[in-house]
Amino acid sequence: MGILRRVFRRKNKKQIPRTDGFLYRDLLKNITNIKADFEQNDDLIVNSFKWSDNQDTICASLYIKTLVNTETINSLSEEISILKMKENKSRQALPLDVLRAHFSGVRTLKEGDRYIDLYADLLSGNTVFLLHGSSQYLSIPTESTEGRSVEEPSSQTVIRGPKEGFTENINQNIMLVRKRIKSNALSLESLSLGNLTRTDVGLMYIKNIAKDSMVREIQGRIKRIETDSILEGAYIEEWIKDDRYSIFPTFLSSEKPDSVAAALLEGKVAIFTDGTPYVLTAPALMVEFFHSSEDYYHHYIIATMMRILRFFAFFLTLLIPSFYIAIATFHQEILPTPLLISIAAQREGVPFPTFLEALIMENTFEILREAGIRMPRAIGPAISIVGALVLGQAAVDAGIISNVIVIIVSITAISSFAIPNYEMSNAVRTTRFAFMVLAGVTGLYGVFIGIIILTLHLCKLKSIGVPYLTPIAPWIKDGNVDTFFRFPFWAMKNRPFGLHGDDKRRIGGEYPVRKNKKGNQEFR
Amino acid sequence: MSETKITSRQIISLTAGVTTGGSVLVIGALIASVAKQDAWIGSLLTILFGIPVIWIYLFLGRRFPRMNLVGMSRELLGKWFGTIVAGSFLFLLLQMSYHIPWYMGDFMTSRIIPETPHYVIKALYIAAMSIAILYGLEALARASEIFIMIASVLFVFVMVMVAPNAKIENLQPVLENGLIPVLKSSAILSCFLSFMTISMLMIYPAHLDDSKEGGKSFLKGYFLGGGITCISILMSVLALGWAITANSRFPVFRLANLINVGIVFSRIEIIVFVIWVLTQFILSTVFFYGFIIGFSQLLKLKDHKRIVLPLALILLTMSEVVFPDVAYQEHWIVYTWVPYIFTHGFVLPVFLLVVYWVKKRVLKMDIGDNQGQK
Amino acid sequence: MQDIAVALFVAVFSIILCLIEIPDLSKKKMHRELGAFVVLVGLGILLALLKSLGWNIPNPSDLIAWTYSPVEGIIKSLLE
């Protein structure tokens, strides 16, 4: 074993120095090294050219064909040929200084002298210039920004409110948020994560509004991630979650720039990940998973009503199947007699016990839902026919399942879709199976114990150190202006308690509408 | 002493849970059989009599703001005697933490789901208790806030629904037999109401930042819990009359049976059951937590969570053994529990108080850890 | 019947618990915890086993009842 390990270590050692080392002065040596490192990459383009006809200074420009924007490259080469012509006349300065002087005003210019930085630049789509006799390189961004354009979000649709959604491009996403908060206090910290993927991650917050300790905490956690790949924001979430075993999401993922901007204004931190149209905001509290950005664009009474409906839907999704099982199996006496009789009449001839019946149907619904997401769009109508007619109608007619359970499953299904956040909805739908088992074993008692355990669990959860149920437990005085209710904006005086930094106040001054004592003379 | 800190609002809910949990469903019968129609006066007096008792607890707590009762008794009574006293107190806590699952099993199998084996009921309950403790005191305290909120709302709802059945004649004649039976009843009720809060001394000063503010919350929680019990007794007597109240095992449950407003609200007992389970849960978990904390303190364990699950197994078996039948339980709870909790909830703190005074005033010893006070 | 099922449950649960906790506790050198843990698990299994075999487990309630039997008269007078 020891020998093997030594062999491997030596092998590793051999590879490291070149990528870790500094550039040589010799251009040819540099290019051979780079080419050797990019051995199997046919899309690496190396152009060497003479700087001037008389001088023997050789330059090389390197880029990766598939990463760069061809138009930018074309215009760059044009610029360089113009420069070369000028230079041929004057013949004074060193080519590197000329390039630097020329480009530094126009483009973002980067310099470096290490292989590892050079590779990082090359791989993020920059064009790199190398010069014979210099151990420095220059890199000019030429990356192609192709990708989806800004579209309407697919998972968070609204009726009123902005319809822009994030895309896979991190810069575009940041732009979308910056456009909404035009303040120099809006800070962005860039990191790159994943040893292999080198994914760009942006940490955005508003200075003074976000709590400094919170920002440091998130930053520290993200920096401590050691992994080879980050392909989606969910990777980060799973790495830095407070309670890694919990099924409940403790980061709010959003597809809408306006809700991210709103979260930033409450003192939260947004985590942008390149390659994903979802932006995470933290700390996220339980109640926020039942908020929609649209709540703030409607009248506050309507918004409050919708919120309460959503919480109601949450309880329905969680408890309706288990209540049905418990009542139909153990506590028939709770039901009023007429209802009891009608349920009993429908259950006549059904070969399964209630628990099994409910389990089968709830699973069927889950399968339908899952199939509906994964299947090609064109088969959509077929699924609904199978779901509604075959599984619903025909199964009831055949007497395999009762009508009641179809109603119960439909209520669960519809309520679960009324929860605006998909992850929360998933968590709730999964938890409900545990409740069904409890109800099948000990009836309502089991359901109550389940509720107690669930409450304890939710109370235990934390999101970046903030208790998950915050304005409710621990109860915060005046903290419930934006939880179950949506108070009007002029009543939300402060930012949410415990999340914000120094800047606490949200509004200032008085209500802008003043009573005119005289009244309007024209209308009377 | 401890890193876990809870807010003083959570002290309110925990105390209210402890005060209510032991008494709300069961005790009405006993009180009504002693004080007859004046049971409600007895329960009001109990709350009053409880204040000096709570004051003693708070006094002790404020003198030792970073200790729990085990630490206090060891500090005041010396290592050996203090450990014995603390051990005896911890035994009471352990007793209580398997009594409650027994009640739960008994109640469920006799009232709600007779066909389910009571082991399953107890096992589920004990599982919930252990999870609460494994999640830590903070989670329990936060959850208790929610539980008390729900329980109070439901309680008000039930009481409002029962109100039309109340007959003022059931309270008359007031003080027919003089004050003596009333005082007797309040002495008994104290054993289920005021003295129960001794278990909070395992939490109260040590896990709080501000023991003064926490003391106020302690009292508030006591009043809230006492108020709930008092109103439930009053309403039982008002609506059922003292004779029926005295003869039923679960008077409040019986009370809810009276409610019949339309089809929707015809079966309201389930709500009473919810109130009972929630408050009972707080009570039993506080007792169990107190035991585990104290026990690991005596054994000098660093991590008290390690012994939770083995203890849960013991609770499961012991909850089956503890009362062979209902008759035994009813006899035990009156003739043994009353003096038992009296010794630990009243005699023990008074004794500690006297020792404190003697040591401080007479012997002029430097006692109490005042550096923790702000 | 029930008692036997419970005893089995307790035994299986304790074995799983031991398999998880004992290596962890001994790795972290928490000897006191380890001792307390083993004794308590042993006690738990013993109690469940005795119960399932139909033996009389000494009931702590009896002990306390015996301790407080002298004051029973006072309580009786309270109840009058």
Side-chain angles (χ1 to χ4, degrees), chain B residues 47-205:
Chain B
I47 299 179
L48 277 181
F49 293 154
I51 295 172
V53 179
I54 305 287
W55 182 83
I56 296 172
Y57 298 167
L58 293 183
F59 182 86
L60 281 173
R62 218 168 288 164
R63 291 300 160 273
F64 303 92
R66 285 181 299 176
M67 282 183 185
N68 54 27
L69 195 61
V70 173
M72 286 176 208
S73 70
R74 296 226 284 185
E75 176 88 14
L76 284 171
L77 305 176
K79 203 177 172 195
W80 282 105
F81 189 53
T83 307
I84 292 167
V85 170
S88 155
F89 173 67
L90 289 178
F91 189 59
L92 175 125
L93 294 180
L94 179 66
Q95 285 275 307
M96 205 53 197
S97 34
Y98 53 73
H99 280 189
I100 305 288
W102 184 89
Y103 283 115
M104 196 57 76
D106 174 55
F107 179 80
M108 292 303 298
T109 44
S110 69
R111 294 284 149 152
I112 299 185
I113 34 174
E115 61 266 44
T116 313
H118 40 101
Y119 265 129
V120 176
I121 293 164
K122 287 170 190 164
L124 268 178
Y125 191 81
I126 292 169
M129 274 164 68
S130 326
I131 287 175
I133 290 161
L134 288 177
Y135 277 170
L137 179 64
E138 283 165 312
L140 171 66
R142 275 183 227 129
S144 80
E145 279 189 79
I146 296 179
F147 293 160
I148 285 296
M149 243 185 272
I150 296 172
S152 331
V153 169
L154 291 180
F155 181 76
V156 170
F157 173 73
V158 170
M159 288 304 133
V160 168
M161 297 301 272
V162 171
N165 299 53
K167 290 183 224 56
I168 202 79
E169 303 89 67
N170 281 337
L171 291 186
Q172 287 159 343
V174 179
L175 294 178
E176 188 188 16
N177 304 326
L179 212 58
I180 304 298
V182 175
L183 289 179
K184 279 178 180 172
S185 78
S186 80
I188 291 173
L189 186 57
S190 295
C191 295
F192 296 89
L193 200 82
S194 327
F195 298 152
M196 289 298 227
T197 49
I198 186 82
S199 60
M200 285 299 292
L201 274 190
M202 295 300 289
I203 295 172
Y204 155 61

Side-chain angles (χ1 to χ4, degrees), chain B residues 30 34 91 95 98 117-119 184 188 295 299-303 306-307 309-311 313-314 316-318 320-323 328 331-332 334-336 338-340 343-344, chain C residues 2-3 6 9-10 13-14 17 21 24-25 28 30 32-33 36-37 40-41 43-44 47-48 51 57-62 64-65 68 71-72 75-80:
Chain B
L30 193 59
V34 176
F91 189 59
Q95 285 275 307
Y98 53 73
H118 40 101
Y119 265 129
K184 279 178 180 172
I188 291 173
F295 191 59
L299 294 182
K300 295 199 185 84
L301 304 184
K302 273 169 255 154
D303 188 358
R306 302 284 181 160
I307 56 170
L309 289 174
L311 275 171
L313 292 179
I314 295 176
L316 181 61
T317 321
M318 288 314 287
E320 189 62 27
V321 175
V322 62
F323 298 132
Y328 183 97
H331 183 267
W332 193 89
V334 176
Y335 290 100
T336 312
V338 169
Y340 188 31
T343 1
H344 288 90
Chain C
Q2 264 189 42
D3 288 329
V6 171
F9 166 77
V10 167
F13 189 81
S14 342
L17 203 60
E21 288 280 332
D24 188 47
L25 282 173
K28 285 181 183 156
M30 297 162 97
R32 276 178 169 277
E33 279 83 354
F37 179 83
L40 287 174
V41 167
L43 191 63
L47 283 175
K51 182 86 178 80
I57 299 177
N59 187 350
S61 313
D62 287 339
I64 299 161
Y68 286 100
V71 291
E72 220 175 286
I75 310 289
K76 258 200 187 117
S77 71
L78 263 181
L79 286 177
E80 291 296 294

Side-chain angles (χ1 to χ4, degrees), chain A residues 84-143:
Chain A
K84 259 160 72 178
M85 299 235 286
K86 269 189 197 166
E87 211 49 39
N88 275 339
K89 286 169 194 161
S90 59
R91 279 186 215 171
Q92 295 161 344
L94 275 168
L96 200 67
D97 294 331
V98 177
L99 279 175
R100 196 181 287 142
H102 178 78
F103 286 117
S104 59
V106 199
R107 294 171 205 263
T108 18
L109 197 73
K110 260 180 79 182
E111 282 180 69
D113 53 359
R114 289 159 74 99
Y115 275 107
I116 193 163
D117 298 332
L118 192 152
Y119 292 163
D121 282 345
L122 212 51
L123 287 169
S124 52
N126 293 3
T127 298
V128 172
F129 286 97
L130 285 170
L131 248 122
H132 189 68
S134 160
S135 63
Q136 291 264 355
Y137 73 87
L138 287 181
S139 90
I140 293 161
T142 49
E143 81 269 19

Side-chain angles (χ1 to χ4, degrees), chain A residues 46-217:
Chain A
V46 183
N47 292 326
S48 353
F49 53 90
K50 266 191 172 176
W51 184 247
S52 58
D53 303 329
N54 313 347
Q55 266 178 309
D56 50 347
T57 346
I58 328 168
C59 288
S61 72
L62 296 93
Y63 58 89
I64 292 176
K65 192 169 66 184
T66 42
L67 282 178
V68 295
N69 188 342
T70 336
E71 280 171 33
T72 328
I73 290 286
N74 287 345
S75 69
L76 196 69
S77 55
E78 261 171 46
E79 276 177 64
I80 288 188
S81 53
I82 293 170
L83 263 182
K84 259 160 72 178
M85 299 235 286
K86 269 189 197 166
E87 211 49 39
N88 275 339
K89 286 169 194 161
S90 59
R91 279 186 215 171
Q92 295 161 344
L94 275 168
L96 200 67
D97 294 331
V98 177
L99 279 175
R100 196 181 287 142
H102 178 78
F103 286 117
S104 59
V106 199
R107 294 171 205 263
T108 18
L109 197 73
K110 260 180 79 182
E111 282 180 69
D113 53 359
R114 289 159 74 99
Y115 275 107
I116 193 163
D117 298 332
L118 192 152
Y119 292 163
D121 282 345
L122 212 51
L123 287 169
S124 52
N126 293 3
T127 298
V128 172
F129 286 97
L130 285 170
L131 248 122
H132 189 68
S134 160
S135 63
Q136 291 264 355
Y137 73 87
L138 287 181
S139 90
I140 293 161
T142 49
E143 81 269 19
S144 104
T145 48
E146 252 161 59
R148 221 149 52 92
S149 59
V150 176
E151 286 166 20
E152 201 178 331
S154 56
S155 68
Q156 291 172 308
T157 43
V158 290
I159 296 188
R160 177 155 181 198
K163 302 215 158 103
E164 284 175 324
F166 287 124
T167 63
E168 280 77 5
N169 186 334
I170 184 172
N171 292 325
Q172 200 165 20
N173 294 348
I174 291 170
M175 177 272 284
L176 285 172
V177 176
R178 268 207 193 276
K179 246 174 34 181
R180 285 178 166 77
I181 305 173
K182 297 187 191 73
S183 161
N184 60 337
L186 187 69
S187 331
L188 178 77
E189 287 176 31
S190 300
L191 303 158
S192 86
L193 284 185
N195 297 335
L196 284 176
T197 56
R198 294 266 135 230
T199 314
D200 291 326
V201 174
L203 213 64
M204 196 185 254
Y205 56 90
I206 305 179
K207 232 180 264 166
N208 286 331
I209 290 180
K211 213 182 207 170
D212 209 39
S213 57
M214 203 97 75
V215 178
R216 296 289 141 251
E217 176 67 34

